[in-house]
Structures are given as structure tokens and as C-alpha cells.
Amino acid sequence: ELFFLFAGHVPCQESSGDDINYKAKSGYVLVINNYIFPGRDDVERTGSNDDVRNLMSLFDDFSFRYKVEHNQSESQMLELLRSTAEKDFSRYDCFVCVILSHGTKDGIYGTDEKVIKIEAITSLFQRNQCPSLEGKPKIFLIQACHGPLSSSSLPVDADFLICVAPGYQSYRQALLGSWFISSVFDVFKEYAEREHLMDMMLRVNNRVAGFYSKEGLKQMPCQVCMLRKKVFFDPKYSSS
């Protein structure tokens, strides 16, 4: 499986005399968690629900509004993404989309084993399709695909961040989740108060690179960065 992280253009918001920094104090999150695949021998993607719980906890800290949908077919995923892209995001500082599923080098599987291309997803949120997100971070965490990210999958809009990490079922564990998502959770929980997105992703790289599967396999995320701003979050941690 591969994980892709896309983050869109970050405009000059409030800053302390340096418009290279952007703070996302509010955000809207869509999570698609495909963990039951009835046509497969291994029906359940174990650990995926643990990823969702971790992500919900993280986005609670960021005071982001989120919507979680489970076990979507290809057509259901497309309809959900289209209807989300039609929303008015004027009140939000950023948009986050998380898709947890199986995939191929061509894209992401719905639970009906039909594939959606990465470009078909990201194109829905480009400025001509979703004008209320123009100039705002658009972050896509996609844990799904095998094989390298092709150039045709890259968004045509500028100011994207793409994070890719090859992975297989052995990189997910019950009660822990995937190495990648659990590392995002741990690193962002610890460092989001003081570090920007790219610095935290370097820490995620370092953490994931330290894991080994039972078969002795490793995983190494990498990023292609087209961002022009440093994206900071504004976590409000609970006392519990």
C-alpha cells in the first residue's frame, strides 16, 4: 500500500510580519474507511478502525469538524467526494481528506473492487471545481496504493505536498493501526504546537523507517513538496 499526502496552497492569513507562515485554526475533514472487502479471502483490513480512532482524537485537538464514512463502493466514494467538494468552505482554514482502503498502482479500491484514480479525487478540489478552497491547504492522506505515484496522478494546481510510503498488510496491526497513520498521530500530537507540517512529516519519516515487520520488511515514506507556505496547526489539548 502507498500513502499520499497532498496539501494545497496556503494563503497569507494572520502572521507576525512573515507571510511565509500560515496557521490553520479550523478545518473540515472527510474520512473514508474501507475496511470490509466481501470478495476477498482476507475480508477485513485489520487495524484500520484504530487508525480512524487515532485520527478523530487528533482532529479533536485541532478543533476540526470531521465526517467519517465506512465501506464505500467506488460509486459511493465518488458521490461522497463530489458532494463534499460542492460545500462552502469559506468558514474553514483548510480541508483534509483521509482515505483508508486497498489499492493498486492505478488508484484506490472501493469495497466493490472498482478503482478510483488519485487524479480523479484531487481534481474535485482544485480551484476551478471548489472555489471556496482556493488559497487554502488541501491535505489528502491516502493509505491505499501499490506501486509508484505516476506523474499523471499529480495535481495540476500548484502548492501541493505529496507523501508516498509503500506498504502491505504486514504494515498494519490490530490495536495499533498502520505504521504511517499511527506515526502521524504520535508526531502531530507531540509537535503540532510548535512545528509546521513539513517538519513533522520528516519526523514521521524517521519514525516509520525504524519499524520492521515480522518478515523483516521496512517502510520509507518520501515527500514531493510544492508548498509555498509553512502550515501550522493550532491544537487545543484536553486536560484528560
Side-chain angles (χ1 to χ4, degrees):
E1 291 175 315
L2 290 184
F3 316 110
F4 305 88
L5 173 64
F6 305 83
H9 177 235
V10 281
C12 176
Q13 206 181 41
E14 65 177 57
S15 64
S16 55
D18 185 357
D19 67 359
I20 200 69
N21 295 332
Y22 175 88
K23 181 165 286 189
K25 295 183 177 181
S26 63
Y28 185 91
V29 183
L30 173 65
V31 179
I32 300 175
N33 178 32
N34 290 343
Y35 66 94
I36 298 295
F37 286 78
R40 300 195 175 210
D41 292 336
D42 293 326
V43 172
E44 182 175 358
R45 295 180 59 255
T46 57
S48 193
N49 288 327
D50 299 289
D51 282 340
V52 172
R53 281 190 287 271
N54 282 339
L55 290 166
M56 290 170 64
S57 173
L58 184 67
F59 294 131
D60 278 336
D61 288 344
F62 294 170
S63 299
F64 284 8
R65 180 183 176 186
Y66 53 80
K67 177 179 182 179
V68 181
E69 295 289 347
H70 299 282
N71 299 319
Q72 301 285 292
S73 67
E74 178 257 1
S75 61
Q76 289 173 324
M77 289 174 68
L78 278 175
E79 178 56 34
L80 179 59
L81 289 160
R82 287 193 187 106
S83 63
T84 301
E86 292 171 357
K87 290 181 179 293
D88 182 359
F89 293 97
S90 300
R91 60 183 289 196
Y92 299 109
D93 294 331
C94 71
F95 170 70
V96 181
C97 178
V98 183
I99 303 178
L100 311 171
S101 188
H102 288 300
T104 79
K105 63 181 177 63
D106 296 318
I108 301 159
Y109 280 118
T111 55
D112 56 355
E113 303 293 341
K114 295 182 179 179
V115 174
I116 304 176
K117 292 183 179 294
I118 303 294
E119 190 275 334
I121 295 171
T122 59
S123 65
L124 294 171
F125 298 90
Q126 293 170 1
R127 54 189 171 183
N128 59 329
Q129 298 291 324
C130 187
S132 63
L133 278 178
E134 182 175 1
K136 297 180 180 181
K138 295 168 282 286
I139 301 169
F140 289 75
L141 286 164
I142 303 177
Q143 178 184 318
C145 299
H146 292 278
L149 181 65
S150 66
S151 59
S152 63
S153 298
L154 302 181
V156 296
D157 274 0
D159 305 299
F160 278 76
L161 170 67
I162 304 167
C163 176
V164 183
Y168 302 91
Q169 184 173 354
S170 57
Y171 298 160
R172 297 192 311 271
Q173 299 176 12
L175 304 180
L176 174 64
S178 66
W179 294 354
F180 179 67
I181 296 296
S182 63
S183 296
V184 168
F185 170 77
D186 290 339
V187 168
F188 282 33
K189 279 276 191 178
E190 184 171 356
Y191 294 100
E193 282 186 305
R194 57 189 183 276
E195 292 190 354
H196 64 81
L197 178 60
M198 278 304 300
D199 278 356
M200 290 192 290
M201 291 312 302
L202 289 175
R203 292 186 183 274
V204 170
N205 280 5
N206 186 54
R207 186 177 294 241
V208 173
F211 292 139
Y212 289 86
S213 72
K214 290 185 293 185
E215 298 82 9
L217 300 173
K218 288 177 64 69
Q219 183 182 55
M220 187 64 240
C222 63
Q223 287 87 32
V224 177
C225 182
M226 293 172 280
L227 292 175
R228 294 184 290 177
K229 302 284 183 175
K230 296 179 180 179
V231 181
F232 290 88
F233 298 108
D234 189 33
K236 306 289 192 302
Y237 298 117
S238 64
S239 58
S240 57

